[in-house]
Amino acid sequence: MPDVFQLLSDPTRRHLLEALRNGERSVNDLVERTRMSQPAVSKQLRLLKDSRMVALRRDGRKHLYSIRGEPFREASEWLGFYERFWRRSLARMDEILGTDTPRRKRGKA
Amino acid sequence: MPDVFQLLSDPTRRHLLEALRNGERSVNDLVERTRMSQPAVSKQLRLLKDSRMVALRRDGRKHLYSIRGEPFREASEWLGFYERFWRRSLARMDEILGTDTPRRKRGKA
DNA sequence: GCATAACATGCCTTGGAAGATATATATTCA
DNA sequence: TGAATATATATCTTCCAAGGCATGTTATGC
């Protein structure tokens, strides 16, 4: 079972996940939103399912896929460790542009 | 220039990024924390630098690498679209376990 | 200038992943 | 039961990325 970032690294897989943001979709729905063959889509869905990023519900001969949030959370938490780095750079830009929100008094010029 | 998730998909690259959480490190510092050769580490650092995930500062013959936050932010924002999915599943677990915080009155049982 | 240290780059090899095509499986309908 | 629909799986090919080794480059110290 590969890790979450590995799964997210493929643009076509991200595209599928984006298409699932508004709720469950059938395989054909998803195929129509890509330029790939149906087997290719099914293959990627399989990988996403195996790593629990999507859930599968069967309705007749339709297979409805939907997002499962937990793995995304892991990735998000990992990225959380770097939040201070981008906040820092935003603060620097604010200083340069003089557009910072004066939350606390800063050292005088 | 490959995208951020692509860069994050490699475990050794993530390992390097984790080693940089506490500040800038020289190449040798980083090599000692991995089981890879120095050229392999330099290669990955190059990729991370090209995609602006790390910055390079030269001090004599030492090359000090450090985190640049912006690209991480992009990835974090993309993942933010899935936050409601993992919150939802947490809420479900709360319901099952009866440990939910009663923020608003829920439908009667 | 020469030796060494600290990195970077070039080249080569290899494993794996992604997609296409063909085929198998399951479900509905006549 | 047989045909059509909806999806999964199997197999094959191709491509790329990761790592190793050898070598180039830049900086320091003598």
Side-chain angles (χ1 to χ4, degrees), chain A residues 3 5 8-9 14 17-18 21 67 69-70 72-73 75-76 78-79 81-82 84-86 89-90, chain B residues 3 5 8-9 14 17-18 21 67 69-70 72-73 75-76 78-79 81-82 84-86 89-90:
Chain A
D3 75 293
F5 283 114
L8 292 176
S9 68
R14 285 203 303 275
L17 293 171
E18 287 167 5
R21 282 179 185 172
I67 297 289
E70 295 86 345
F72 295 83
R73 187 190 186 183
S76 188
W78 192 91
L79 285 171
F81 285 108
Y82 299 88
R84 63 192 181 94
F85 291 101
W86 76 67
S89 66
L90 285 181
Chain B
D3 75 292
F5 283 114
L8 292 176
S9 68
R14 285 204 303 275
L17 292 171
E18 288 167 6
R21 282 179 185 171
I67 298 289
E70 297 86 346
F72 295 84
R73 186 189 188 185
S76 188
W78 191 91
L79 284 171
F81 286 109
Y82 299 88
R84 60 191 182 94
F85 291 101
W86 76 68
S89 67
L90 285 181

Side-chain angles (χ1 to χ4, degrees), chain B residues 86-98:
Chain B
W86 76 68
R87 292 210 181 286
R88 176 188 302 172
S89 67
L90 285 181
R92 262 208 316 275
M93 282 199 52
D94 280 345
E95 278 200 14
I96 290 168
L97 298 175

Side-chain angles (χ1 to χ4, degrees), chain B residues 95 100 105-109:
Chain B
E95 278 200 14
D100 56 341
K105 278 205 167 58
R106 291 185 295 122
K108 75 161 194 62

Side-chain angles (χ1 to χ4, degrees), chain A residues 59-70:
Chain A
D59 178 33
R61 49 188 167 182
K62 295 227 168 197
H63 289 204
L64 289 314
Y65 286 89
S66 56
I67 297 289
R68 303 198 83 205
E70 295 86 345

Side-chain angles (χ1 to χ4, degrees), chain A residues 39-58:
Chain A
V41 171
S42 283
K43 185 178 179 179
Q44 302 307 328
L45 287 172
R46 173 79 136 95
L47 296 176
L48 292 172
K49 183 165 70 79
D50 287 348
S51 56
R52 310 200 178 264
M53 300 180 78
V54 301
L56 167 60
R57 183 173 70 89
R58 296 170 198 234

Side-chain angles (χ1 to χ4, degrees), chain B residues 22-108:
Chain B
N22 298 324
E24 56 181 13
R25 300 270 179 233
S26 73
V27 177
N28 248 334
D29 277 356
L30 295 171
V31 169
E32 290 171 4
R33 290 165 199 272
T34 72
R35 290 173 182 172
M36 309 192 312
S37 64
Q38 173 265 315
V41 171
S42 284
K43 185 179 179 181
Q44 301 308 327
L45 288 172
R46 173 80 137 92
L47 296 176
L48 292 171
K49 182 165 71 79
D50 286 350
S51 56
R52 312 199 176 264
M53 300 180 77
V54 300
L56 168 59
R57 184 173 71 90
R58 296 168 197 235
D59 178 33
R61 49 188 167 184
K62 294 225 167 199
H63 289 204
L64 291 314
Y65 285 90
S66 56
I67 298 289
R68 303 197 83 206
E70 297 86 346
F72 295 84
R73 186 189 188 185
E74 295 176 31
S76 188
E77 282 176 351
W78 191 91
L79 284 171
F81 286 109
Y82 299 88
E83 185 170 349
R84 60 191 182 94
F85 291 101
W86 76 68
R87 292 210 181 286
R88 176 188 302 172
S89 67
L90 285 181
R92 262 208 316 275
M93 282 199 52
D94 280 345
E95 278 200 14
I96 290 168
L97 298 175
T99 57
D100 56 341
T101 65
R103 43 182 77 179
R104 74 173 88 174
K105 278 205 167 58
R106 291 185 295 122
K108 75 161 194 62

Side-chain angles (χ1 to χ4, degrees), chain A residues 30-46:
Chain A
L30 296 171
V31 169
E32 290 170 4
R33 290 165 198 272
T34 72
R35 290 173 182 172
M36 311 192 309
S37 64
Q38 172 265 314
V41 171
S42 283
K43 185 178 179 179
Q44 302 307 328
L45 287 172
R46 173 79 136 95

